[in-house]
Amino acid sequence: MEAKWFNPFPLLKGRRALVTGGSRGIGAGMAEGLARVGAEVVITQTRPPAEHTPAWVEAVRAEGFSVTVIQGVFEQPETLYDWAERVWAEYGPFDILVNNAGIMRRGPVDTFRWEDWKTVIDVNLHAVFVLTQAIGRKMVERGYGKIINTASLMSFQGGIRVPAYAAAKGGVAQLTKAFANEWAGRGVNVNAIAPGYIATDLTQALRDDPERFRELSSRIPQGRWGTPDDLAGAVVFLASPWSDYVNGHVLAVDGGWLAR
């Protein structure tokens, strides 16, 4: 990760963060950003950590930062209440929760499969609700917490061939506001980040389509797709005391896409 924006002051020293889906892509960019400003970061991945440790985790550990890898599978959100209790007991208490784990299924609306709809909604919306509630109410009891949800441009736009993803991300934006309305006065800030078009595995299909890639790229005022590192500054801000008066906000990190 390019270190140009990092302040040598460990802004989040002593804070503990849980980042779901933090092993790669956008989640890795956010988790690394938190670690590099002093947070003790716990990330989830679908594979058992004994089978795989992300290269970026090994790199930041070698520099002296704290990152722990645990397994997390979110396709059965009703099981996550017990999972959250176990994770809090073993790795908590958490000051920061980043709900980032997500999946994508593509297809035209007239033939979109119910199984794909349900899986996307379960992982991208229902799991966010359960973990925000389960971890967040413990934060409320402690009188402090920062919850950052990963929204999307699809929180504002319908998209093409992604009906379940758009519905879920629209729900994440509204869920963020609903929790913020009830918890802002109880010491817990709930906000979201809406990434633009970021070069990750999730957007590989778009980048592999020359016509669609040119179409999307031409609309980004900054003239390039984002990288996972571009999310680090936003998540550090929302996880830090600098955002103490920010509640229910969906922060677009999109190279200017929504302003177009």
Side-chain angles (χ1 to χ4, degrees):
M1 173 178 285
E2 190 175 355
K4 64 181 180 182
W5 63 271
F6 286 114
N7 188 313
F9 179 73
L11 181 64
L12 297 178
K13 184 175 178 60
R15 297 298 187 187
R16 190 164 296 175
L18 174 62
V19 182
T20 67
S23 66
R24 61 183 183 172
I26 287 170
M30 294 193 288
E32 183 175 349
L34 294 170
R36 286 186 177 275
V37 293
E40 299 172 16
V41 178
V42 177
I43 67 168
T44 75
Q45 62 180 23
T46 56
R47 296 167 62 181
E51 294 182 4
H52 173 72
T53 299
W56 76 264
V57 172
E58 295 179 339
V60 298
R61 284 175 176 170
E63 295 179 48
F65 301 108
S66 175
V67 182
T68 300
V69 183
I70 65 173
Q71 187 175 23
V73 179
F74 305 104
E75 293 184 0
Q76 295 180 305
E78 65 275 10
T79 69
L80 293 176
Y81 288 107
D82 289 340
W83 181 87
E85 288 288 340
R86 293 194 303 272
V87 170
W88 182 278
E90 186 168 354
Y91 301 101
F94 294 106
D95 307 286
I96 302 157
L97 169 64
V98 181
N99 281 309
N100 172 74
I103 60 172
M104 175 75 79
R105 297 287 187 272
R106 300 182 186 276
V109 292
D110 52 342
T111 58
F112 198 82
R113 299 191 325 145
W114 164 252
E115 293 82 359
D116 288 338
W117 172 273
K118 185 177 185 305
T119 300
V120 171
I121 297 295
D122 278 344
V123 174
N124 292 10
L125 181 58
H126 292 161
V128 173
F129 169 76
V130 172
L131 291 180
T132 299
Q133 186 184 62
I135 299 293
R137 59 192 175 198
K138 292 182 180 295
M139 293 176 169
V140 169
E141 290 173 1
R142 300 174 72 221
Y144 181 86
K146 301 281 188 172
I147 298 175
I148 302 110
N149 298 322
T150 298
S152 167
L153 295 181
M154 299 305 103
S155 298
F156 307 95
Q157 302 172 326
I160 298 173
R161 294 174 56 85
V162 288
Y165 188 84
K169 292 303 185 178
V172 167
Q174 294 304 102
L175 192 67
T176 297
K177 297 170 188 177
F179 273 98
N181 286 341
E182 297 194 35
W183 285 355
R186 301 169 72 182
V188 177
N189 299 75
V190 186
N191 293 287
I193 295 172
Y197 285 94
I198 311 295
T200 67
D201 292 347
L202 207 64
T203 60
Q204 188 65 54
L206 294 175
R207 290 182 286 123
D208 287 344
D209 181 335
E211 182 177 349
R212 189 79 172 119
F213 179 73
R214 284 194 297 270
E215 177 187 355
L216 294 171
S217 300
S218 68
R219 185 182 157 162
I220 302 172
Q222 196 163 341
R224 67 171 178 86
W225 284 48
T227 69
D229 292 355
D230 288 319
L231 281 300
V235 77
V236 168
F237 166 66
L238 291 176
S240 77
W242 294 340
S243 64
D244 281 353
Y245 202 59
V246 180
N247 299 276
H249 183 65
V250 182
L251 174 60
V253 182
D254 64 352
W257 175 278
L258 289 175
R260 191 67 178 261

